[in-house]
Amino acid sequence: MTERRPFIAGNWKMFKTIREAVETAGALVGHVSDAAGVDIMIAPNFTALAAVREVLQGSAVMLGGQNLHWAPEGAFTGETSAGMLQDAGCRYVIVGHSERRQYFGETDETVNKKIRAALECGLAPILCVGETEKEREAKKTFSVLDKQIQNGLKDLRSADVGPMVIAYEPVWAIGTGKTASREQAQEVHRFLRSLMESIFGNDLASAIRIQYGGSVKPNNIKALMEMPDVDGALVGGASLDAATFSQILHFQS
Ligand code: PEP
């Protein structure tokens, strides 16, 4: 069986001034010097990327962007390209977060363009997928995810998507305090891995990391991480405080 290194990422959304971001990142670096065996990333606001990059120098904490535009450059006021994120020190970029799908018109088609742009630039995309509460109740979870993955990754080859990460984020669990049970998470993660296998083959599917996201906290991370197809977490609210996020990162101790 392929060993998948746990990957826990913090999405700071539209929180923190530059000073606050630097303070939190500094505290986090202090907390995680011994968090061996886990890949760690934080995605601060764009305005704080450069300053946070300085703080993270020489630490195990990697930097990520929260969104990108698919064009390399151009007249796209307010947008940021993959190359710009990489220039700012990002290794990862979150793509298709449900808040972007819900409030900013993100579609599977734009997700596909963004995934391509990120991969072409050497940035690893974290592709977010997930169903709403209504869709889950209507037993449409798997069909919704199938569509998001098939269309989001349309015309990509397994050689291209190697560095990609998938984040299963049930929309009903984001910022609500409701977490999917570990059995619900495992069921969906297994489904996603099989789907990746049917599209990209067994090697890719067994190596790809699938994070769970949705109200992950210090008190539920361990149980989630014990599930065989849960390889990490994408953490929103609980990543904003360095001590709390550090407890999540130390789930093994
Ligand atoms: C997220 O924004 O990706 C997320 C999972 O948020 P929260 O942890 O606050 O539910």
Side-chain angles (χ1 to χ4, degrees), residues 11 13 97 99 169 173-175 213-216 234-237:
N11 171 15
K13 311 194 186 196
H97 191 280
E99 287 153 13
E169 299 213 306
I174 297 180
S215 299
V216 171
L234 181 54
V235 186

Side-chain angles (χ1 to χ4, degrees), residues 12 18-30 42 48-61 63:
W12 287 0
I18 296 174
R19 186 178 56 78
E20 289 164 347
V22 162
E23 274 173 18
T24 308
L28 187 64
V29 167
I42 50 173
L49 282 174
V52 169
R53 176 194 203 169
E54 295 290 313
V55 179
L56 300 184
Q57 286 285 346
S59 84
V61 184
L63 198 60

Side-chain angles (χ1 to χ4, degrees), residues 2 9 15 25 45 57 60 64 66 71 75 125-126 134-135 179 195 204 210-211 214-216 223 225 227 241-242:
T2 315
F15 291 103
N45 192 281
Q57 286 285 346
Q66 296 180 17
I126 301 178
K134 225 169 143 189
E135 289 162 343
T179 323
L195 185 56
L204 187 282
I210 307 179
Q211 299 174 319
S215 299
V216 171
M225 291 300 291
M227 303 315 276
D241 176 71

